[in-house]
Amino acid sequence: MTASGFGPATGIGSLPGGDAREAAKAVTGTFEDFPHLPELPARGPGADMIGRTAGMLVELYARVEPSGWRLGDRPGRDTKRAWSWLGEDLDALEEFTQGYEGPLKVQAVGPWTLAANLELRNGEAALGDPGACRDLAASLAEGLRLHLAEVGRRIPGARLVLQLDEPSLTAVLRGQVRTASGYRTHRAPDRQAVEATLRDVLAVHGDGPTVVHSCAPDVPFALLRRAGASAVSFDFSLLTERDDDVIGEAVEGGTRLFAGVVPGTDGPLSDPAGSVMGVRTLWRRLGLRPELLAEAVTITPSCGLAGASPAYARRALAHCVRAARSLADNPE
């Protein structure tokens, strides 16, 4: 456990299968220093990332339409199902974290990915309506405040880490999110508005540690740091040397890197030292002190593991722990 409030390795969030107890047991058994609340999207609507977070909203409700999740007037069957899945996941996590003290991560979809994927009544993404974006972010912030309080009550020894999943953020910033017709794209919102909204949502955790995760290319590291994220979680294989300067500035500014170095789908795993070789190489290229590595990096899968086989997912989680140990033992 590092002073920063994070552990050496953890998962992103999603896992294959539909058994909440099995998932909680796997996560807490593998990540003894930094477990997270598992997400099991294979169970269906309401367990998927958009539906799960839509269920956390306060005074906004969503239902499933053929085109995706759409905001409505009252909680219907789909919202109630999302509540039920989340309750089941929290029960399971609570069971396997009795007496646990240390960092514990919970995840929700961030305001911009939510705005890009939740439809208004007219079928268009909320992203196209600045007022709707503001309402959505405020509702999400209130819902996250309640969620964090609930997890804190259930697992009182945990120091909670809030992760916002923002895989659509780069597309939002570039004006690449398509309208319902598919013929046009939504205009990119003002970057300062994007940053301010993220800052407001991250602020619900007060002084607690926060992470923003995206496994899309071109993660906006500088914007996320300005918005107040204590850590950025990304797919390490998508970094290019173009990112060197912002990564170096992030590390020197105290931002932690959640380096996604273990593939999220089935395939051969290299030896643990091989998995973190790229991280060591980056460190040398940036001229950073090797002893900073363990203090500045948490090892994770490159993205959620929902698309992996259960056997591979278990191996991948254990591999993250071994790779993190290799990094701490041999930083050079």
Side-chain angles (χ1 to χ4, degrees):
M1 166 65 192
T2 61
S4 62
F6 301 108
T10 193
I12 296 297
S14 68
L15 293 170
D19 185 327
R21 287 187 76 251
E22 196 61 40
K25 187 177 171 188
V27 164
T28 54
T30 307
F31 299 120
E32 293 172 7
D33 303 321
F34 194 9
H36 65 89
L37 177 63
E39 300 165 14
L40 302 172
R43 294 179 298 195
D48 61 299
M49 68 190 255
I50 298 297
R52 184 181 181 87
T53 301
M56 293 181 191
L57 297 174
V58 172
E59 291 179 3
L60 287 178
Y61 308 102
R63 62 177 187 274
V64 178
E65 296 286 338
S67 53
W69 284 89
R70 184 172 296 181
L71 290 166
D73 293 325
R74 57 185 178 275
R77 190 182 59 207
D78 299 318
T79 303
K80 289 173 181 156
R81 197 182 288 128
W83 291 344
S84 167
W85 292 137
L86 182 58
E88 198 175 288
D89 294 339
L90 287 170
D91 289 345
L93 188 68
E94 184 178 358
E95 178 186 344
F96 288 102
T97 48
Q98 294 294 315
Y100 175 72
E101 293 184 357
L104 170 73
K105 183 165 70 69
V106 297
Q107 307 84 218
V109 175
W112 294 104
T113 295
L114 209 52
N117 288 278
L118 265 183
E119 298 172 0
L120 302 174
R121 287 177 185 78
N122 64 4
E124 286 294 352
L127 182 62
D129 180 335
C133 287
R134 282 193 295 275
D135 291 347
L136 199 53
S139 172
L140 174 64
E142 191 50 41
L144 288 174
R145 194 176 285 118
L146 295 171
H147 180 53
L148 288 162
E150 161 90 351
V151 181
R153 267 196 307 277
R154 286 170 174 261
I155 309 162
R159 288 189 292 281
L160 297 181
V161 175
L162 172 64
Q163 174 177 308
L164 296 182
D165 293 322
E166 281 285 13
S168 302
L169 182 59
T170 302
V172 167
L173 288 166
R174 290 181 173 173
Q176 292 172 336
V177 177
R178 295 205 167 275
T179 55
S181 69
Y183 295 124
R184 292 188 308 110
T185 53
H186 290 284
R187 269 196 19 225
D190 175 70
R191 284 184 86 93
Q192 283 173 315
V194 171
E195 187 183 313
T197 301
L198 279 166
R199 187 180 299 112
D200 290 346
V201 176
L202 289 167
V204 302
H205 198 25
D207 296 333
T210 55
V211 190
V212 179
H213 165 72
S214 170
C215 40
D218 296 321
V219 174
F221 283 92
L223 183 148
L224 297 176
R225 290 184 57 219
R226 288 195 305 272
S230 353
V232 180
S233 168
F234 56 97
D235 178 345
F236 192 84
S237 71
L238 297 177
L239 284 188
T240 65
E241 294 201 12
R242 279 205 314 270
D243 299 304
D244 279 9
D245 289 349
V246 286
I247 296 257
E249 282 166 24
V251 172
E252 287 174 344
T255 304
R256 194 173 183 92
L257 305 179
F258 278 46
V261 297
V262 178
T265 48
D266 291 43
L269 291 169
S270 74
D271 65 302
S275 293
V276 288
M277 194 160 66
V279 181
R280 288 197 186 93
T281 305
L282 171 70
W283 231 246
R284 279 197 294 276
R285 217 166 55 223
L286 295 175
L288 293 165
R289 298 198 322 279
E291 57 273 21
L292 251 183
L293 263 172
E295 287 171 36
V297 176
T298 293
I299 297 297
T300 71
S302 57
C303 211
L305 292 165
S309 67
Y312 175 81
R314 282 193 298 275
R315 280 203 306 277
L317 298 183
H319 194 81
C320 288
V321 174
R322 286 197 292 272
R325 200 168 296 138
S326 162
L327 202 56
D329 292 347
N330 309 298
E332 296 292 348

